Amino acid sequence: MPSFQPLVFSGVQPTGNLHLGNYLGAIRRFVALQDSHDCIYCVVDLHSITAQLVHDDLAGQTRAITAAFLAAGIDPEKHIVFNQSRVMQHAELAWIFNCVARIGWMNRMTQFKDKAGKDRENASLGLLAYPSLMAADILVYRATHVPVGEDQKQHLELTRDIATKFNNDFSDRIGQLGAGVDMTVGDERVNGFFPLTEPLIEGTATRVMSLRDGMKKMSKSDPSDLSRINLTDDADTIAKKIKKAKTDPEPLPSELEGLEARPEADNLVGIYAGLSDRSRESVIAEFGGQQFSVFKPALAELAVEKLAPIASEMRRIMADPAYVDAVLRNGGERAAVRAEATMKTVREIIGFVGD
Ligand code: TYM
């Protein structure tokens, strides 16, 4: 029996500056997966209008994220890099998923609650339906693996719920059309049209925290620029932000357990481990017992060494917007062929009359 071909899909919103959390939690993982998987990486511009409709420079932001993908080492020829809005099948499948998903599921999403704030009635309908579009992004390619940071876990669980409900509700039609694929879910063998996608939340930096508050996620929307390291920050800015990062007065512990009640110290150790591709244990083995006055300069040096080449490559790529646009156009054309193949069957499964 055939089963789903492994396929990696992930997306990044073109809103605000890319930061170290995006890089360590997502983009660096995207790069690593290219050797073992077929990958599709998307700049999700349709998502960026859910929280804020009008943007000063959405096109520029879209090109900047694309440049970051390429500068980090994503190969747009072997794999696919494109912006979401040019492949209309994402929006088409999202509409169908709006009719599969239940309002209660959407209301439970913590990201919706955070972004909508107190005045939920005034949030856009798109913000509520955001996870339907995210499920569509993934499932329009019937992708099996999705590398993301920890904050996207709940959305990926919802993606599985949507796939399961679609597979169940249309099981007869899927069977009649022979469109199902066998897959293993837990101990069971089941058949369905959409795979139950696996989140890949891996590495030592799946949740990079703010440099100003170890209990808050590092985020593009934090009003304090000191809270994050942007991928485009220069060496002096990176060093200054790390120097100013909140810490406690104790030296670093010599055992990992000693970080448990010290969120800021834990975060800096996690960042060091992420940037150097080492475990937290090995970072603690090297720096345990040292003061932050020793650890912070070492971290700043490492961050500059890893990020500066990406920033300069990003600038080089962005200086040629025609090249970036050509990458997105070419990626979009290849993505659309795959997305249309899925949608043709989806339309048949549902019973829409077409050609
Ligand atoms: P976005 O644009 O907010 O973030 C892009 C990626 O960066 C990860 N990330 C982090 N990882 C570690 N620490 C942090 N502080 C941190 N902040 C962000 C995110 O988890 C994400 O992987 N909804 C998604 C975009 C999206 C998507 C998709 C992702 C749309 N469709 C389909 C995967 C598959 C988002 O807003 O990511």
Side-chain angles (χ1 to χ4, degrees):
M1 268 292 184
S3 53
F4 287 98
Q5 286 289 329
L7 174 67
V8 167
F9 179 94
S10 199
V12 176
Q13 288 199 56
T15 33
N17 278 326
L18 277 180
H19 54 69
L20 191 60
N22 300 128
Y23 178 63
L24 292 177
I27 296 174
R28 217 177 48 133
R29 309 291 315 148
F30 300 178
V31 176
L33 285 160
Q34 296 183 108
D35 292 337
S36 50
H37 288 77
D38 184 14
C39 304
I40 304 180
Y41 296 127
C42 185
V43 185
V44 290
D45 48 9
L46 293 175
H47 276 96
S48 68
I49 60 169
T50 55
Q52 179 191 331
L53 181 59
V54 182
H55 293 261
D56 285 345
D57 185 17
L58 186 56
Q61 293 280 356
T62 301
R63 293 187 184 110
I65 306 286
T66 311
F69 283 179
L70 305 180
I74 292 171
D75 181 341
E77 283 170 19
K78 272 207 196 118
H79 301 277
I80 292 181
V81 172
F82 74 108
N83 59 312
Q84 183 187 28
S85 60
R86 67 196 315 147
V87 180
M88 63 197 180
Q89 287 84 352
H90 288 240
E92 184 185 0
L93 187 57
W95 176 256
I96 293 165
F97 286 169
N98 281 345
C99 303
V100 173
R102 309 287 95 182
I103 294 174
W105 301 1
M106 300 295 168
N107 273 325
R108 280 196 289 277
M109 294 293 112
T110 50
Q111 187 167 304
F112 172 66
K113 290 190 225 170
D114 288 350
K115 288 202 177 168
K118 288 208 173 67
D119 193 5
R120 275 208 216 176
E121 293 288 306
N122 204 28
S124 77
L125 197 49
L127 190 66
L128 180 65
Y130 180 113
S132 265
L133 178 59
M134 184 160 158
D137 298 337
I138 298 164
L139 295 176
V140 83
Y141 304 101
R142 298 163 97 194
T144 55
H145 295 88
V146 180
V148 281
E150 178 73 38
D151 62 341
Q152 296 300 316
K153 193 167 173 219
Q154 197 185 29
H155 288 157
L156 293 182
E157 284 161 5
L158 193 107
T159 299
R160 290 168 70 98
D161 292 342
I162 289 177
T164 303
K165 184 160 161 44
F166 184 96
N167 288 341
N168 289 340
D169 290 357
F170 289 104
S171 63
D172 290 349
R173 297 278 302 156
I174 294 169
Q176 282 157 18
L177 292 166
V181 173
D182 279 352
M183 60 189 137
T184 309
V185 179
D187 299 333
E188 262 182 88
R189 257 338 243 171
V190 297
N191 185 276
F193 181 70
F194 287 119
L196 302 191
T197 302
E198 296 285 341
L200 298 176
I201 303 173
E202 293 170 334
T204 48
T206 56
R207 189 172 175 81
V208 176
M209 307 307 277
S210 155
L211 298 180
R212 306 300 297 163
D213 177 353
M215 305 302 281
K216 254 173 59 186
K217 197 180 64 167
M218 185 179 283
S219 140
K220 295 170 192 168
S221 54
D222 194 312
S224 165
D225 197 52
L226 285 175
S227 70
R228 64 182 160 261
I229 293 175
N230 302 306
L231 278 194
T232 47
D233 282 346
D234 61 26
D236 288 348
T237 310
I238 293 176
K240 183 183 87 186
K241 287 180 176 176
I242 292 179
K243 192 164 171 213
K244 291 200 168 201
K246 188 176 165 201
T247 42
D248 53 45
E250 301 296 315
L252 283 172
S254 31
E255 303 288 333
L256 218 45
E257 295 74 55
L259 289 172
E260 265 162 28
R262 300 175 63 188
E264 283 85 15
D266 185 52
N267 188 38
L268 296 185
V269 169
I271 292 174
Y272 195 102
L275 282 169
S276 59
D277 253 327
R278 284 164 55 182
S279 65
R280 281 163 189 263
E281 283 86 349
S282 100
V283 177
I284 283 296
E286 183 180 342
F287 290 99
Q290 304 269 22
Q291 300 289 343
F292 283 104
S293 56
V294 175
F295 182 62
K296 280 182 168 180
L299 178 58
E301 195 184 322
L302 174 68
V304 170
E305 178 197 319
K306 298 288 176 182
L307 301 181
I310 301 177
S312 71
E313 183 63 2
M314 254 180 94
R315 273 192 293 276
R316 194 186 67 78
I317 295 170
M318 277 195 291
D320 187 358
Y323 167 69
V324 177
D325 290 5
V327 166
L328 293 173
R329 190 179 320 112
N330 174 275
E333 282 166 6
R334 287 151 61 214
V337 172
R338 298 191 188 197
E340 180 53 22
T342 304
M343 287 316 298
K344 202 166 174 309
T345 311
V346 168
R347 293 179 207 118
E348 268 182 85
I349 290 171
I350 296 176
F352 292 143
V353 176
D355 289 335

